[in-house]
Amino acid sequence: MIDKLIVQGGRTQVIANIQKAAEEGRFNDKVETDDPELSRKQQEEFLASYLEKETTKTYKYNNVVTREIMNIATRVILRSTQVEGLENVQNIAGGGIVTSNHFSPLDSLVVHKTVKKMSKSRLYVVSELENLQMPGFLGYLMTYYDTIPLGPDKDYMGRQFPEALKNILDQKQLILIYSEQEMWFNYRKPRPVKRGAYYYAAKFNVPIISCFVEMRDLPDIESDNFKKVAYIMHVLKPIYPDPAKAVRDNSLAMMKQDYAQKCAAYEKAYQVPLDYTFRTTDIAGWMPPKTEMQASVNSMN
């Protein structure tokens, strides 16, 4: 179960933002209210500083520390988390790109547990640069864990970023890329995906490790208006590039297949057809006050 700090404060407005974005079909939009924001110049300066820091002994020491923290957190926080479908990826010995639904700042822990069960030693995570400036403990993890930042600099994104991905994949490791882009807190439904993850899978000729996390409400209370939530990771069929296709055609085909698999996994897990009408049950664990629930019901009539 994800740490209690994740459901404290600001969730009412975030859920309202999710509902509005879903109703307007903006499934990749930002909905969080307190994410760090940097100007383009600040992003460029911060990225240059971060890339320089990566070569220092201090960074390397803290990287080891944060990887051990993630190992411990996975064992403790997610001790009851189930992982199903590992037989689908038992023959993957090389590198690959993992895609999964994005519903929490710490949902990478669920993927981390899955990767460990695949006998992979590390999981790298592609993340927006601003996330490295989150305050407190989460910011520390984002800065020193195996994070590959996205940045605004064209030279970095055109040369250094893909080089970093290739080096990791050549080492037969896995990279998590959130193809839904923005995090939607505890949102159960798979959202339409963007092409980036599939472009790099096609470019570097590696499979997509297609995943979907199911969330089940538990009877225990996590915090005001939220129950605790259990997680079931569904590892779906891997998606391979077709050697007969160009990178663009491959990426589009892989993107379409991955989204279809995630939609099918949702319908199987929840035993309901997927549609994007917003319902209070779309937010796992949420117990909305009656006034909010009635307002949601009224908005659907």
Side-chain angles (χ1 to χ4, degrees):
M1 288 164 286
I2 298 302
D3 197 325
K4 187 174 180 178
L5 67 89
I6 300 301
V7 300
Q8 291 179 338
R11 297 297 93 185
T12 299
Q13 184 57 55
V14 168
I15 292 170
N17 292 345
I18 290 173
Q19 178 175 359
K20 188 173 190 297
E23 290 172 344
E24 295 175 358
R26 297 181 288 105
F27 291 103
N28 310 109
D29 278 17
K30 185 182 290 292
V31 296
E32 290 292 312
T33 58
D34 56 358
D35 280 356
E37 292 188 10
L38 301 174
S39 68
R40 183 181 178 84
K41 183 178 180 181
Q42 287 174 322
Q43 289 184 61
E44 291 172 348
E45 291 173 350
F46 182 72
L47 177 61
S49 174
Y50 177 80
L51 294 176
E52 184 176 344
K53 182 190 299 182
E54 276 190 316
T55 63
T56 66
K57 291 181 179 179
T58 299
Y59 178 90
K60 292 176 182 177
Y61 169 79
N62 282 288
N63 175 254
V64 173
V65 170
T66 53
R67 283 194 280 123
E68 185 56 28
I69 289 171
M70 290 291 279
N71 288 333
I72 294 170
T74 300
R75 290 196 298 270
V76 174
I77 298 175
L78 300 183
R79 59 187 177 274
S80 62
T81 295
Q82 302 172 46
V83 179
E84 300 181 355
L86 283 169
E87 67 277 4
N88 289 323
V89 291
Q90 64 183 353
N91 294 325
I92 294 179
I97 292 177
V98 183
T99 64
S100 188
N101 42 328
H102 192 16
F103 55 85
S104 164
L106 295 180
D107 55 27
S108 61
L109 282 177
V110 185
V111 181
H112 184 83
K113 180 170 184 171
T114 305
V115 167
K116 287 294 182 181
K117 286 184 174 292
M118 293 175 62
S119 299
K120 294 290 186 179
S121 61
R122 297 171 77 167
L123 171 69
Y124 293 80
V125 182
V126 171
S127 179
E128 293 286 348
L129 189 65
E130 289 90 339
N131 291 335
L132 277 65
Q133 290 216 325
M134 293 175 69
F137 184 63
L138 287 178
Y140 172 74
L141 284 179
M142 293 299 300
T143 299
Y144 291 106
Y145 184 62
D146 290 328
T147 303
I148 311 167
L150 293 166
D153 184 82
K154 289 184 178 179
D155 180 65
Y156 168 76
M157 290 303 298
R159 183 172 59 85
Q160 290 172 275
F161 179 78
E163 283 179 1
L165 298 186
K166 185 178 187 302
N167 288 338
I168 293 165
L169 295 170
D170 286 347
Q171 295 168 27
K172 301 183 179 181
Q173 301 294 349
L174 301 182
I175 303 170
L176 172 60
I177 300 181
Y178 289 113
S179 51
E180 295 177 341
Q181 291 191 331
E182 298 293 341
M183 184 194 84
W184 281 24
F185 177 71
N186 275 19
Y187 187 71
R188 283 191 163 102
K189 295 174 179 176
R191 291 179 278 138
V193 295
K194 294 294 188 177
R195 193 165 68 97
Y198 314 97
Y199 167 77
Y200 290 112
K203 178 179 176 65
F204 297 124
N205 194 33
V206 296
I208 290 290
I209 313 299
S210 177
C211 298
F212 177 74
V213 181
E214 173 189 354
M215 291 176 267
R216 294 181 183 173
D217 295 359
L218 298 175
D220 299 330
I221 303 301
E222 185 78 80
S223 67
D224 291 347
N225 298 330
F226 278 94
K227 295 179 180 179
K228 291 183 178 181
V229 175
Y231 304 98
I232 301 92
M233 166 62 89
H234 298 279
V235 183
L236 311 175
K237 296 287 187 182
I239 304 167
Y240 293 88
D242 182 343
K245 291 183 178 179
V247 169
R248 174 179 168 78
D249 293 339
N250 249 326
S251 65
L252 291 171
M254 296 170 83
M255 178 176 70
K256 182 178 179 181
Q257 184 177 342
D258 191 29
Y259 177 56
Q261 289 188 178
K262 287 172 166 55
C263 292
Y266 169 88
E267 294 184 340
K268 182 178 179 180
Y270 296 108
Q271 294 294 297
V272 293
L274 174 62
D275 69 63
Y276 287 104
T277 301
F278 184 85
R279 300 174 178 85
T280 58
T281 53
D282 289 349
I283 309 299
W286 188 34
M287 301 181 295
K290 289 184 178 179
T291 52
E292 292 183 24
M293 187 179 295
Q294 188 58 50
S296 181
V297 170
N298 291 341
S299 71
M300 292 186 283
N301 292 334

